[in-house]
Amino acid sequence: MQELLTQLITGFGLPAWLSFFLWAVVLYGMVAVVGQVAVVFMVLMERKVLAWLTQRKGPNRVGPWGTLQTVADGVKLLFKESIVGPGQDWFLFTMGPVIFFAPSFVLYALIPFTDRLVGITMPLGLLFVFALSSLSVVGIVLSGWASNNKYSLLGGMRSASQAISYEIPLVLSALGVAVAAGSLDLKTIVEAQNQGPFGLFSWYWLSILPVSFVIFHIASIAEVNRIPFDLPEAESELVSGYNTEYSGMKFAMFFLAEYASLFAMSALVVVLFFGGYYSPVGGLMLERFAGVHDNTLLGLEMVTWTVLKTYFFIFFAMIIRGTLPRLKPDQLMAFSWKFLIPLSLLNVFLVAALKMAWMTDGMLLTAGPFTFNLTYWITYGLTGLMTFIVLVGFGQLFGHKQPPLPGLSAAGP
Amino acid sequence: MSMATEQPTQSLPQGVYLEKDIDAGELTVNIGPQHPSTHGVLRLITTIDGEVVRDIEPVIGYLHRSKEKMAESRSLFQYQPTIDRVEYLSAFFDHYVFVTSLEQIAGLKVPKRMQYVRMITMELNRIASHLLWFGTFLLDLGATSPMFYAFRDREKIFSLFEQLTGARMMYNYYRFGGANADMPEGWLEGALDFCDDFEQRIDEYEAIVTKNPIFLDRTVGVGVVDAETLIAHGVTGPTLRGSGVALDQRKDNPYCCYDEVTFDVPVGQNGDCYDRYLVRMAEMRESLKIIRQAVRQIPGGDTADLMRRRAEGDEAANDIELQIAGQKINLLTYKAPPGEVMTTVESPRGFLGCYLITDGTPKAYRCKWRGASFSNLTVLPLLMKGRLFPDLMAIFGSIDVILPEVDR
Amino acid sequence: MVFNDLKDNKVTSGMVEIGRGLKTVSQHMLRPPVTLEYPEVMPDLSKRFHGRLTLLTKSDGSDLCIGCKACARVCPCVDLIQIEMHRDSAKKPVIDRFTIDMGRCIYCGNCTEVCPVDCIKMLNDFELADYSRQALVLDKAGLSLSGEESDRYRQTHGLEAQV
Amino acid sequence: MSDEPKENDKPKPSDGAEKPAKKAEAAAPPPPELGVCGKLLEGAGLKPVALPADAAGTETVQVDGGQLKQACERLRDDAQFDLLLSVSGVDNKTTLTAVYHLYSTKTKAKLVVKANGDKLPSVVSVWPGADWHEREAYDLFGIQFDGHPNLKRILMPDDWVGHPLRKDYTVDDPRLVWNER
């Protein structure tokens, strides 16, 4: 498609570099549309899931089964007055949501939905993802500052410290993936997970990087500011944190971007640890069981798997939101610096050692798909043992000991 | 404290805020009167240094409805419905205190059956009140689902109350010397059904919350306070029992028929938010115990049974002890004899008292409310000094302040 | 040394407890919702429900109220119930005016309790919202039930018939 | 709805005295004697006046305003009254009274201490919990508590005029016009 655009541009006698910009615009437009649709669905899903978790019905008035609720909300937010109060810096106040909004949606361009349906394929994709996702904190800090509100300021400050703390375990745990797959390209990482014999069980989440997966998932929840890490917008103490002063479309941008980055981060978990677009039985089901080799059909299956897996993690994040209380800032920092970061450093070291031991052809465990091999069992055993020792050992070493829980004593009958 | 209030409040022109140098020192944050977690209209003038709270000054009075002045301009019976609003989460306790004060002054005798009904309703109300506390406390800590579960079960209690009194929150049920009507048929079975159901629900709450590591992080060792300080500040109720003092009016000066049922007074050991949580959860279980025993022991049994016995001509079934309305007084013309008394009751938040002075007119000469939350709130600045800002919500939530009772 | 106290290990016990919480919360997804969709499904209210005030009439539709003003005297909201009456030539009470300001009523039920003729009662009707405060001030026509409705009310609530 | 009110025997005929309760009872024949706590105070060199016990039979003593703080200290230290339930102001039309309801968490005893006057010593140093109660009594009755660390209005707005619970308080504040119907 990019070639087509280039031909079109040059055919009109325009310079070829223009096609690059136009392509970027087209691409971002597509990403934004896909992203918006996903977000609209996710907002409805979140409200429905949270309602089910608490034995309620959730939105059920607007449209059949409440499906148009988020559309109605969006229209409402679109038409609401966007207030900029006195004492607020208009420029920064407006730029905050924009800076927060843009990177979350650009992330969509990097996710490989199939082996062909990728917005941008770049060898350093993983790095670029982290570069983008950490940009959004600038928007939060800006809007927290520009709001001229103490709650917002506190929220922005908390967000900055949280982002700094959780970027590190996030990147370090993804580093394990990069080491195992031997590449930073997201597509190569997905392909590398299609090498083992058992599909689901040979994806990185269990086969060689369980610790990485846990750290990455925790850190990704922290990265998108969801409960239990939603300190920047802690509703009970900071009212709404950095977006207290926002209304109308500016608030909607925060709202949309939060869900967009949740989708992107969940998709990243899928890509890095859950075999991306491959089915849980290894390879693609249509190809293996029906013998289909049509690229369109296979592509559809790939998209289905990616989206299904992604929504599973979104769903999981929603259940977590329904269950867990919120951490305190100091506990959040302590958890990251005292627990996650040492753990992920150790994990990187162990993965590297494992790779040194069983490295073949630049990829770990490239014995070809669907073959049984003693190497796998040894690897599994080792990783299992490693996970156990690492978790338990860290619990003993770094988990600050809590005092013995007090029982209640009853005074007399 | 004075520092927080005496800061100059000059009005700055637009835009000046951002150009001014930000003082790297302390910051005064005005929490409330409208804030998601002040549970009403409490205002907290908080001085913070980063995330550390240096000073905190509660400002109350935003919900002042002059309940005490109202007592002096209305007859006792006219005043009675409005006292449900003193502490609306446990309105039966308000009513009980007021009604008992007058009963003591006038020497009215309350039938046994009525005392049991009062006990059952008050314990159900205690559960309802603790449930609301549980929900909002967890909501303050950031967990959303427990609040909905708590409200779901609270609704069941309210349905029972609605069958009994006709209202879900403002009951106006007790009367001087009795109540305005007997229980509807099958009400006691409904209460028992609720007990059986709620036992499982409370297990679920504990599975979600009690040992959750994040919850432990937020509450264990937070807001620790010793019993002497609490008593000196007049703090009572579960907040005090969390610090290890088994001070419970139901045990010490048994009113109603609390001396005829067996129950424990759970007390904590460390006096932190977690212990206060444990105490309240255990209290709900104890309340269930009391309700079960009371339903078993209530004289006359269920209303249907009593009606049948009366229809069959059983004279004993018409015994005054089995009447629920008790000693009826003409509510229109009743003049209470002169006298004064302070009655206290173990409300879900501590000692709820009503100091009633009558002077022989239909009105009360003076009616003073001693709200448990009023005294409990005074320790908040003490507990918050030097703690982190988010601890404010945990500590404030754990002492269970209800603002209408503070302001009256 | 690390294996013998796994229960006290913060990481493992924490993961187990979080898992237990997630499981308990997830179980609720399978339970039916407890929400009532209110305008379609009306709540099941008891007979004693404190709803809109009403005046019962005799079976033939004539006034039951005797104008004793007891309800007005026990009402905690001062001047909420306003009654004007006179006696006709046969010394029978005639109610000229009977208004209740439902906007100020606190639904305590004091008035229903003191009424000597069981005239003022409370219905299960709680949908009283209106666009103006004046519309909430109900007069005698707005308050009174018809003769049949009053009979039905007395039947369901176990009151004596009034002829 | 079987319990329609009927005219029953009234518990006690009241002579409809408009006088405050305390005075009406104080005039009744056998003059009350000092109870345990009253004797304790007397032993400490103070001059408590016994008042009739309240309807629940709780001992009531009246203490001179100047001796209030010493009396409270004695009661806290010697009689173990460690919990101050409330400080209630009462307007007797002629004087203001502060009523202190005490409770002992150890002996479970109750005591009522009364002190007359519109200028009383503060007992915040005896029971820190008296802080807000005294502020309330000051706010609603205008009783001045000497030595209170922060005696200002608590329930009413800071710029309120008058003390609302006094019997002679009249509502002629123009700000209350909205309340008149």
Side-chain angles (χ1 to χ4, degrees):
Chain A
M1 223 175 128
Q2 196 177 3
E3 292 82 33
L4 194 78
L5 196 75
T6 317
Q7 280 170 16
L8 211 68
I9 294 286
T10 45
F12 277 111
L14 294 166
W17 54 264
L18 200 60
S19 75
F20 178 76
F21 288 107
L22 271 179
W23 171 241
V25 169
V26 168
L27 189 72
Y28 191 78
M30 286 190 327
V31 163
V33 168
V34 172
Q36 297 282 8
V37 171
V39 165
V40 164
F41 181 71
M42 272 158 63
V43 174
L44 179 72
M45 178 179 165
E46 168 121 56
R47 294 182 60 178
K48 278 283 182 189
V49 168
L50 284 180
W52 292 335
L53 289 176
T54 50
Q55 287 188 271
R56 290 177 293 127
K57 288 186 171 157
N60 59 356
R61 289 297 153 127
V62 190
W65 201 66
T67 37
L68 297 178
Q69 182 67 51
T70 30
V71 180
D73 286 349
V75 170
K76 181 201 77 176
L77 285 172
L78 205 61
F79 284 105
K80 268 179 92 167
E81 186 187 358
S82 185
I83 302 164
V84 182
Q88 288 167 350
D89 187 312
W90 181 86
F91 181 69
L92 293 182
F93 190 71
T94 316
M95 283 310 284
V98 174
I99 296 176
F100 187 60
F101 183 80
S104 327
F105 277 90
V106 175
L107 280 178
Y108 280 75
L110 291 149
I111 309 290
F113 286 91
T114 73
D115 53 353
R116 283 146 202 258
L117 189 62
V118 192
I120 312 159
T121 322
M122 52 169 71
L124 290 176
L126 196 56
L127 205 59
F128 190 57
V129 166
F130 293 129
L132 276 178
S133 68
S134 50
L135 255 186
S136 60
V137 70
V138 178
I140 295 186
V141 175
L142 263 191
S143 48
W145 167 254
S147 287
N148 190 22
N149 178 324
K150 289 164 184 171
Y151 293 125
S152 303
L153 185 65
L154 275 173
M157 292 298 135
R158 281 183 181 189
S159 176
S161 55
Q162 180 174 332
I164 289 167
S165 309
Y166 277 85
E167 281 293 324
I168 300 168
L170 193 76
V171 175
L172 280 179
S173 55
L175 187 60
V177 178
V179 168
S183 169
L184 283 170
D185 183 7
L186 293 175
K187 220 168 89 181
T188 320
I189 290 171
V190 174
E191 296 291 344
Q193 291 178 67
N194 195 29
Q195 310 284 334
F198 315 119
L200 179 67
F201 297 109
S202 61
W203 295 340
Y204 283 162
W205 72 283
L206 190 64
S207 64
I208 48 175
L209 296 163
V211 182
S212 282
F213 163 62
V214 173
I215 298 172
F216 190 87
H217 195 230
I218 292 173
S220 70
I221 291 177
E223 188 71 15
V224 297
N225 297 337
R226 283 182 69 87
I227 281 179
F229 304 105
D230 66 336
L231 295 178
E233 49 183 317
E235 176 202 329
S236 59
E237 59 240 32
L238 297 185
V239 190
S240 197
Y242 58 87
N243 60 27
T244 306
E245 293 285 325
Y246 283 88
S247 61
M249 206 53 212
K250 287 189 192 121
F251 171 75
M253 283 169 91
F254 278 120
F255 197 69
L256 294 175
E258 257 170 43
Y259 281 94
S261 49
L262 172 64
F263 186 94
M265 275 297 163
S266 301
L268 209 58
V269 171
V270 170
V271 165
L272 296 184
F273 297 98
F274 275 76
Y277 41 76
Y278 283 111
S279 77
V281 293
L284 290 168
M285 276 186 161
L286 284 177
E287 201 175 20
R288 273 186 75 184
F289 300 120
V292 177
H293 292 287
D294 181 35
N295 272 337
T296 318
L297 282 178
L298 290 181
L300 272 179
E301 195 195 334
M302 288 177 181
V303 172
T304 315
W305 284 123
T306 316
V307 170
L308 269 185
K309 290 176 197 169
T310 307
Y311 272 101
F312 172 77
F313 280 101
I314 292 169
F315 179 67
F316 190 62
M318 286 167 186
I319 295 185
I320 287 181
R321 176 176 170 179
T323 312
L324 295 183
R326 186 183 298 120
L327 280 165
K328 282 195 297 188
D330 61 327
Q331 289 160 350
L332 187 92
M333 299 299 133
F335 185 58
S336 175
W337 290 99
K338 290 185 185 166
F339 184 76
L340 285 184
I341 291 177
L343 184 61
S344 44
L345 277 172
L346 183 67
N347 184 47
V348 168
F349 172 73
L350 287 173
V351 170
L354 214 62
K355 175 149 175 146
M356 290 295 284
W358 273 279
M359 190 175 74
T360 45
D361 296 343
M363 278 190 192
L364 189 60
L365 310 173
T366 45
F370 326 127
T371 51
F372 288 85
N373 190 327
L374 186 65
T375 323
Y376 290 120
W377 298 111
I378 296 171
T379 320
Y380 283 171
L382 275 177
T383 47
L385 194 67
M386 187 184 88
T387 313
F388 189 73
I389 291 174
V390 162
L391 284 181
V392 172
F394 263 74
Q396 297 291 354
L397 285 175
F398 292 97
H400 52 280
K401 286 280 187 296
Q402 63 205 23
L405 291 184
L408 291 174
S409 53
Chain B
M1 286 204 184
S2 57
M3 205 179 68
T5 49
E6 287 168 13
Q7 284 201 343
T9 52
Q10 55 202 7
S11 59
L12 293 168
Q14 182 178 342
V16 169
Y17 292 64
L18 286 170
E19 288 154 19
K20 237 175 69 169
D21 277 345
I22 287 292
D23 183 10
E26 291 170 343
L27 184 70
T28 304
V29 180
N30 191 15
I31 301 176
Q34 274 83 35
H35 187 277
S37 55
T38 49
H39 300 199
V41 282
L42 175 68
R43 178 174 166 215
L44 298 167
I45 301 169
T46 316
T47 312
I48 55 172
D49 181 1
E51 289 265 354
V52 183
V53 175
R54 292 286 179 224
D55 191 11
I56 192 163
E57 187 194 355
V59 180
I60 62 171
Y62 292 93
L63 203 56
H64 182 47
R65 293 149 300 161
S66 24
K67 280 278 173 283
E68 294 173 5
K69 189 79 179 168
M70 278 167 82
E72 295 169 19
S73 62
R74 283 160 171 75
S75 76
L76 288 166
F77 185 54
Q78 241 182 325
Y79 178 54
Q80 211 185 359
T82 67
I83 59 178
D84 285 330
R85 278 90 178 154
V86 169
E87 190 199 345
Y88 53 66
L89 294 182
S90 45
F92 273 128
F93 291 90
D94 295 347
H95 241 93
Y96 180 79
V97 169
F98 182 70
V99 163
T100 313
S101 291
L102 194 89
E103 279 160 3
Q104 287 189 348
I105 290 175
L108 297 171
K109 197 170 172 300
V110 185
K112 194 98 184 191
R113 181 174 168 82
M114 183 54 220
Q115 289 182 354
Y116 268 95
V117 171
R118 286 182 181 180
M119 202 159 80
I120 295 170
T121 47
M122 280 199 285
E123 288 307 317
L124 280 173
N125 208 335
R126 187 188 308 278
I127 295 178
S129 175
H130 279 350
L131 272 179
L132 186 116
W133 165 82
F134 171 77
T136 50
F137 179 51
L138 266 292
L139 195 64
D140 285 352
L141 297 182
T144 48
S145 292
M147 191 198 77
F148 289 104
Y149 300 153
F151 273 65
R152 174 196 65 195
D153 296 332
R154 201 163 155 260
E155 277 301 301
K156 292 176 191 158
I157 301 179
F158 282 175
S159 293
L160 281 175
F161 286 162
E162 189 216 299
Q163 288 168 26
L164 180 67
T165 70
R168 297 179 83 83
M169 279 181 91
M170 311 297 171
Y171 310 112
N172 189 23
Y173 177 62
Y174 302 152
R175 292 288 176 272
F176 308 119
N180 67 357
D182 203 344
M183 297 167 288
E185 286 184 19
W187 192 81
L188 287 175
E189 278 80 9
L192 275 186
D193 286 349
F194 169 77
C195 291
D196 296 340
D197 177 58
F198 188 63
E199 199 120 56
Q200 298 158 18
R201 299 288 92 79
I202 203 168
D203 287 342
E204 281 178 5
Y205 300 160
E206 300 234 11
I208 298 170
V209 175
T210 302
K211 285 192 175 163
N212 186 306
I214 299 178
F215 179 72
L216 292 177
D217 274 349
R218 286 300 300 273
T219 51
V220 174
V222 174
V224 182
V225 62
D226 61 315
E228 284 72 33
T229 316
L230 288 179
I231 292 175
H233 279 83
V235 179
T236 45
T239 312
L240 178 59
R241 289 197 283 275
S243 292
V245 180
L247 185 69
D248 192 325
Q249 289 273 70
R250 296 175 291 174
K251 280 275 184 227
D252 302 338
N253 310 306
Y255 50 94
C256 278
C257 295
Y258 279 109
D259 45 353
E260 295 176 17
V261 291
T262 55
F263 63 98
D264 296 330
V265 179
V267 295
Q269 289 168 358
N270 301 335
D272 54 8
C273 292
Y274 187 66
D275 275 15
R276 298 197 268 276
Y277 162 83
L278 287 181
V279 163
R280 288 198 176 90
M281 296 310 268
E283 261 180 34
M284 284 201 260
R285 292 183 193 273
E286 296 302 322
S287 290
L288 288 183
K289 233 195 257 177
I290 296 174
I291 295 166
R292 286 217 174 96
Q293 292 175 53
V295 169
R296 215 180 304 130
Q297 294 173 9
I298 186 166
D302 190 23
T303 311
D305 189 44
L306 200 64
M307 290 299 177
R308 185 181 52 75
R309 280 167 59 199
R310 277 176 194 159
E312 286 170 0
D314 185 356
E315 273 305 307
N318 283 320
D319 187 61
I320 184 72
E321 286 293 286
L322 299 185
Q323 300 286 343
I324 200 137
Q327 193 172 0
K328 283 179 205 158
I329 53 177
N330 190 326
L331 300 165
L332 272 174
T333 57
Y334 181 67
K335 289 189 179 69
E340 63 169 275
V341 75
M342 165 108 164
T343 316
T344 51
V345 69
E346 186 67 35
S347 90
R349 290 164 192 82
F351 283 29
L352 175 69
C354 174
Y355 178 43
L356 187 69
I357 305 180
T358 52
D359 59 351
T361 58
K363 299 170 182 176
Y365 184 79
R366 167 96 168 98
C367 178
K368 149 95 184 176
W369 287 96
R370 192 267 179 203
S373 304
F374 185 79
S375 291
N376 291 5
L377 188 56
T378 52
V379 289
L380 184 67
L382 207 71
L383 292 180
M384 271 316 296
K385 290 266 167 66
R387 301 293 317 186
L388 284 182
F389 191 53
D391 284 339
L392 171 61
M393 304 315 153
I395 293 172
F396 180 63
S398 76
I399 58 177
D400 192 15
V401 170
I402 159 107
L403 264 297
E405 195 192 20
V406 176
D407 292 347
R408 305 183 296 284
Chain C
M1 62 104 182
V2 288
F3 297 107
N4 44 15
D5 52 358
L6 280 185
K7 249 188 182 166
D8 301 333
N9 187 296
K10 193 137 189 259
V11 173
T12 47
S13 72
M15 279 163 73
V16 168
E17 289 300 332
I18 286 183
R20 194 143 68 105
L22 290 174
K23 187 185 127 227
T24 315
V25 171
S26 311
Q27 275 170 358
H28 284 80
M29 291 189 87
L30 304 173
R31 299 183 190 169
V34 291
T35 323
L36 290 183
E37 287 183 57
Y38 152 61
E40 288 96 44
V41 185
M42 292 297 274
D44 186 19
L45 297 173
S46 68
K47 270 195 250 173
R48 294 181 183 177
F49 184 74
H50 288 186
R52 184 168 72 86
L53 284 170
T54 190
L55 292 177
L56 300 188
T57 52
K58 292 180 183 169
S59 299
D60 57 359
S62 56
D63 286 349
L64 184 57
C65 177
I66 53 170
C68 67
K69 296 184 186 173
C71 46
R73 279 170 64 197
V74 296
C75 182
C77 320
V78 182
D79 290 346
L80 181 96
I81 304 176
Q82 292 184 353
I83 306 170
E84 281 169 21
M85 54 91 72
H86 71 272
R87 292 186 183 274
D88 63 5
S89 50
K91 292 276 181 195
K92 279 198 157 184
V94 178
I95 313 295
D96 301 324
R97 179 162 160 267
F98 196 115
T99 58
I100 298 183
D101 184 354
M102 296 308 289
R104 285 171 61 219
C105 179
I106 64 167
Y107 302 91
C108 64
N110 266 5
C111 46
T112 64
E113 212 163 308
V114 296
C115 184
V117 289
D118 282 339
C119 173
I120 185 164
K121 287 290 162 199
M122 280 176 148
L123 298 175
N124 277 11
D125 180 13
F126 57 88
E127 293 161 317
L128 290 159
D130 215 313
Y131 286 102
S132 76
R133 288 187 191 189
Q134 200 51 44
L136 291 171
V137 182
L138 300 181
D139 58 0
K140 202 175 83 177
L143 286 165
S144 296
L145 292 183
S146 72
E148 297 92 68
E149 284 169 334
S150 305
D151 280 345
R152 210 176 311 131
Y153 183 93
R154 282 191 280 263
Q155 225 166 21
T156 51
H157 288 73
L159 298 175
E160 286 171 25
Q162 299 277 352
V163 187
Chain D
M1 298 286 171
S2 58
D3 34 48
E4 177 191 314
K6 301 249 167 23
E7 184 74 33
N8 265 15
D9 51 336
K10 284 183 197 165
K12 271 183 216 168
S14 56
D15 44 12
E18 285 294 318
K19 281 182 290 181
K22 191 161 58 65
K23 288 185 178 173
E25 283 189 30
E33 292 179 3
L34 281 176
V36 184
C37 300
K39 291 210 176 89
L40 187 141
L41 289 179
E42 209 166 34
L46 301 170
K47 293 189 191 67
V49 179
L51 292 179
D54 72 4
T58 312
E59 186 186 345
T60 309
V61 288
Q62 186 174 3
V63 180
D64 184 50
Q67 295 177 341
L68 179 65
K69 198 167 165 186
Q70 295 93 306
C72 286
E73 272 164 5
R74 289 279 68 74
L75 286 172
R76 181 194 63 181
D77 296 338
D78 301 344
Q80 295 184 320
F81 283 106
D82 46 2
L83 183 64
L84 176 71
L85 283 179
S86 70
V87 179
S88 328
V90 177
D91 182 2
N92 293 326
K93 296 201 173 128
T94 48
T95 57
L96 292 172
T97 308
V99 186
Y100 296 77
H101 288 273
L102 308 183
Y103 187 80
S104 168
T105 58
K106 306 200 172 67
T107 63
K108 322 291 182 198
K110 285 180 178 178
L111 180 68
V112 184
V113 177
K114 294 188 178 182
N116 285 339
D118 53 3
K119 220 166 164 56
L120 294 170
S122 166
V123 293
V124 174
S125 54
V126 186
W127 297 287
D131 184 347
W132 283 18
H133 290 282
E134 287 182 353
R135 273 176 71 184
E136 189 191 322
Y138 161 73
D139 186 1
L140 302 178
F141 287 92
I143 304 175
Q144 295 283 342
F145 290 96
D146 291 340
H148 189 285
N150 187 21
L151 196 65
K152 59 178 187 181
R153 288 190 180 273
I154 184 165
L155 292 177
M156 308 303 286
D158 283 345
D159 54 350
W160 194 264
V161 182
H163 300 285
L165 271 183
R166 283 191 181 185
K167 291 285 175 188
D168 57 358
Y169 178 80
T170 48
V171 187
D172 53 359
D173 194 311
R175 284 171 298 185
L176 291 179
V177 167
W178 61 271
N179 205 17
E180 289 170 5
R181 290 176 62 94

